[in-house]
Amino acid sequence: MSSNKVKPKFVLHPQLEKDTFFIGSLNLSNILLMNDSRYPWVILVPQCIDAVDITDLSIEQRAEFIEEINRVADLIKQQYQPDRLNIAMLGNIVPQLHCHIIARFKQDFAWAKPVWGIGDSIAYTKEQQDEILPSLQSLLLRS
Amino acid sequence: MSSNKVKPKFVLHPQLEKDTFFIGSLNLSNILLMNDSRYPWVILVPQCIDAVDITDLSIEQRAEFIEEINRVADLIKQQYQPDRLNIAMLGNIVPQLHCHIIARFKQDFAWAKPVWGIGDSIAYTKEQQDEILPSLQSLLLRS
């Protein structure tokens, strides 16, 4: 007898949906690219329904999440050679657990401040999207 | 025959030394309290010499670090019942790996922005220090 219970599906928060491009999925997290061409700025979102903070994950999920953050951070550092890397889970606006990974340069728009709330984002042009999206897919999803 | 090699000692970055109070040490990390009474704001600093990013830690150190972050975050949430928790490793100013854990409230000074660079910090008075330092030691260092 089949069950009528439907397993709830993970749904990305509409604000993240609006502000980002989907790059692909790791085992735990979706990888998004923030649509702001001022910074190499990716976001990892664990596909865990109702998770707001890391305290909502299991110990195994946290271990996997930090390793996915670490792997993406390492690849972003290799690719972009930034002066610094910012890693942050804020959630003031979007109450769905997500981790920003941002390559920072001493010449960038907001340096040395954090990027949030500094000036207006500059969306990627179609040409830039056609370049960066496959490039990040190739960089971050290779096994 | 004894070796003349001296094991290097972990030394807290002078800016963190200047801006914080020492609460105590977990197995991996020192716990500091930011001297800004506007927010319950602690900082974890893994005692790993020359670590700038989480990519500089071993996989075992990262697993321990995220669990120490999680434990402190959980206790801060229980104690202060914030609207949100901000967890961030930025390092633009201080190139020594450290993780901010900040309890945020919808009525706080910087809401909904991140706290950095918004207004001037308000140091704890001597009376406030005498209350919060033992309180946080009791909260965060109990086994």
Side-chain angles (χ1 to χ4, degrees), chain A residues 53-55 59 62 67 70 77 84-93 95 104 111-114 116, chain B residues 53-55 59 62 67 69-70 77 84-93 95 104 111-114 116:
Chain A
D53 289 316
I54 55 166
T55 54
I59 185 168
R62 271 193 300 278
E67 285 310 304
N70 182 67
K77 277 172 75 172
R84 288 280 179 274
L85 207 68
N86 295 169
I87 295 178
M89 295 171 272
L90 301 178
N92 298 350
I93 310 287
R104 301 297 308 276
W111 187 265
K113 294 182 182 172
W116 300 273
Chain B
D53 290 316
I54 55 165
T55 54
I59 184 168
R62 271 193 300 277
E67 285 311 304
I69 293 168
N70 181 67
K77 277 173 74 173
R84 287 280 178 277
L85 207 68
N86 295 170
I87 294 178
M89 294 170 272
L90 302 177
N92 298 350
I93 310 287
R104 301 297 309 275
W111 186 264
K113 293 183 182 172
W116 299 273

Side-chain angles (χ1 to χ4, degrees), chain A residues 4-123:
Chain A
N4 285 326
K5 281 191 188 165
V6 176
K7 194 180 168 192
K9 193 174 168 291
F10 174 79
V11 178
L12 189 64
H13 190 284
Q15 189 69 45
L16 290 174
E17 183 81 42
K18 178 173 167 285
D19 293 344
T20 67
F21 300 104
F22 181 74
I23 300 295
S25 296
L26 301 174
N27 191 53
L28 181 70
S29 308
N30 287 334
I31 307 177
L32 312 173
L33 172 69
M34 181 65 99
N35 189 10
D36 186 344
S37 62
R38 295 176 301 168
Y39 319 96
W41 180 347
V42 302
I43 297 176
L44 294 197
V45 186
Q47 300 167 69
C48 301
I49 293 165
D50 294 338
V52 177
D53 289 316
I54 55 166
T55 54
D56 298 320
L57 302 182
S58 68
I59 185 168
E60 293 80 12
Q61 288 172 325
R62 271 193 300 278
E64 186 163 26
F65 190 34
I66 194 73
E67 285 310 304
E68 291 187 345
I69 292 168
N70 182 67
R71 183 169 183 276
V72 169
D74 192 36
L75 292 167
I76 291 283
K77 277 172 75 172
Q78 288 177 39
Q79 177 81 358
Y80 292 97
Q81 304 281 321
D83 294 308
R84 288 280 179 274
L85 207 68
N86 295 169
I87 295 178
M89 295 171 272
L90 301 178
N92 298 350
I93 310 287
V94 173
Q96 178 178 66
L97 178 58
H98 61 288
C99 183
H100 301 272
I101 301 172
I102 312 165
R104 301 297 308 276
F105 298 88
K106 291 184 179 173
Q107 308 83 350
D108 76 26
F109 193 83
W111 187 265
K113 294 182 182 172
V115 299
W116 300 273
I118 308 285
D120 295 319
S121 63
I122 299 174

